Amino acid sequence: MERKEAVTMKGNPLTLVGPELKPGDKAPAFTASAQDLSPVTLDSFKGKKKVFSVTPSLDTPVCDMQLRKFNQDIATMDNVEVINVSMDLPFAIKRFCTTAGVENAVAVSDYKDASFGEAYGVLIKELRLLARAVFIVDENDTVVYAEYVPEATDHPNYDAVVAALK
């Protein structure tokens, strides 16, 4: 499934591959890679609220701030796991997290199969990057919040994410 002109990057329309998830949908299964290359799946966070922070690349200012903000403001909440997903290589993610002091959030890579990107409808066909988005998935693996940021260089609605967790 392709969604043409679903988002833009610097004003240029882009195609997203995969479904558009909405609150009430069952969270799709996926397999991504941890920083040590081991598999990370939806079941890796079973029984917890999950905030999936999706970023095009941690080496850009907005993505950097998004992960730092969620690491600081949300990842310290009880029974909430923040998982940043990008197409960055696991080694680059590890370097970024070490340098940025990201200790509360988990950062994973979708570089291998774009499994998360296709399942959550955030894979940018033209660039093979992930579109900026935020999903909150409850303890029963139901999507309770979904934000596809229309312009990839803009920030997500941080206040709405925090409010949705309360």
Side-chain angles (χ1 to χ4, degrees):
M1 163 189 273
E2 292 186 0
R3 298 170 6 249
K4 294 191 182 309
E5 300 184 12
V7 296
T8 59
M9 184 172 285
K10 297 183 180 174
N12 298 310
L14 297 168
T15 304
L16 293 183
V17 177
E20 182 176 349
L21 298 181
K22 294 181 174 38
D25 289 346
K26 195 75 178 153
F30 67 89
T31 302
S33 298
Q35 295 169 26
D36 65 1
L37 301 178
S38 64
V40 176
T41 67
L42 183 64
D43 285 343
S44 301
F45 310 100
K46 200 167 211 54
K48 292 186 173 186
K49 285 183 188 171
K50 297 157 279 293
V51 176
F52 290 103
S53 167
V54 187
T55 55
S57 175
L58 292 172
D59 283 327
T60 62
V62 176
C63 300
D64 176 312
M65 183 176 168
Q66 182 175 329
L67 177 52
R68 287 178 196 253
K69 187 154 183 64
F70 286 153
N71 176 66
Q72 178 183 340
D73 297 349
I74 295 174
T76 55
M77 293 179 176
D78 285 341
N79 204 38
V80 175
E81 192 77 52
V82 172
I83 305 101
N84 194 91
V85 186
S86 71
M87 289 296 243
D88 294 314
L89 292 175
F91 315 111
I93 291 171
K94 184 174 184 176
R95 175 191 46 76
F96 173 87
C97 289
T98 300
T99 303
V102 173
E103 297 173 352
N104 302 318
V106 176
V108 301
S109 174
D110 203 26
Y111 84 99
K112 195 171 180 183
D113 300 316
S115 170
F116 183 94
E118 287 185 17
Y120 285 71
V122 292
L123 179 63
I124 300 173
K125 180 181 179 181
E126 295 85 350
L127 303 174
R128 195 167 166 78
L129 293 174
L130 301 183
R132 187 174 317 285
V134 180
F135 304 96
I136 299 175
V137 175
D138 71 11
E139 300 89 339
N140 300 312
D141 293 340
T142 299
V143 176
V144 296
Y145 177 90
E147 177 187 5
Y148 294 86
V149 179
E151 166 56 49
T153 60
D154 289 346
H155 289 272
N157 186 336
Y158 299 113
D159 293 339
V161 173
V162 171
L165 284 167
K166 293 185 177 177

